[in-house]
Amino acid sequence: MPQADADAARALLAEAGYPDGFSITLHGPNNRYQNDAQILQAVSQLFARAGLTSTVEAMPSNIFFDRASQQEFSAFLGGFGTTTGSAIRGLQQVIATNDADAGTGGFNRTRFSDPEFDALVAQAFDEAERDALLAQATVRAFTDQQAIIPLHFEQQIWALREGLTYDARPIERTLAQDIRPAD
């Protein structure tokens, strides 16, 4: 992932005709992700270092996701998890072109669209080539096209009293049925 470079960002803004920057509001939830409001503030500070006048509008997740789905925001914090460990659902639903008939892009709130990326993801349902195609699609989306910018990966942490064990699932939920006596 590229490193932040405020000087280069200011130069790019000037080259694009914005030598004095511009104003931007960063939107996001304040009760969905770990430290989500603090992440918004940190990104806003990075925007300011690059020469933008940046403000933050954090709101409860039920309001945020409804408004994000209506494409009311130009820059926002969002996330997507997987219950399988495979990248295919996130790529297919968050980055692929929004196409109800194809069943893709249902959570693509930016309306990013790249036919080459879509073709890689569509081919990834062939199990023989899946890993290689998903790797190509991931590089294209995150590095070549910068469809979204990953900021961090949440870690879920559980603590139990002695004598119990918990088999954590990748669904960000703690289920009592998964707590059992230690072996």
Side-chain angles (χ1 to χ4, degrees), residues 67-161:
R67 290 181 62 193
S69 293
Q70 301 301 317
Q71 295 142 1
E72 292 184 23
F73 310 135
S74 61
F76 60 88
L77 172 70
F80 192 87
T82 176
T83 58
T84 65
S86 172
I88 195 160
R89 286 288 178 220
L91 296 175
Q92 182 189 47
Q93 292 302 313
V94 177
I95 301 175
T97 299
N98 181 271
D99 183 340
D101 293 336
T104 61
F107 296 109
N108 180 345
R109 293 179 172 101
T110 65
R111 293 306 186 250
F112 172 82
S113 182
D114 176 29
E116 187 174 326
F117 170 84
D118 291 342
L120 289 168
V121 172
Q123 294 171 40
F125 284 97
D126 175 1
E127 287 192 39
E129 297 183 38
R130 178 177 291 163
D131 290 343
L133 289 166
L134 290 176
Q136 287 178 340
T138 301
V139 168
R140 180 154 183 86
F142 293 102
T143 304
D144 299 343
Q145 298 291 316
Q146 294 185 335
I148 58 176
I149 302 170
L151 295 176
H152 75 108
F153 298 92
E154 286 191 11
Q155 298 294 314
Q156 305 297 319
I157 300 170
W158 291 269
L160 300 169
R161 72 171 195 223

Side-chain angles (χ1 to χ4, degrees), residues 12-31:
L12 287 170
L13 283 168
E15 182 181 319
Y18 297 97
D20 298 322
F22 55 86
S23 295
I24 188 167
T25 301
L26 180 60
H27 294 87
N30 61 7
N31 63 347

Side-chain angles (χ1 to χ4, degrees), residues 6-22 46-53:
D7 293 333
R10 282 191 295 277
L12 287 170
L13 283 168
E15 182 181 319
Y18 297 97
D20 298 322
F22 55 86
L46 290 172
F47 283 172
R49 288 182 194 162
L52 302 180
T53 302

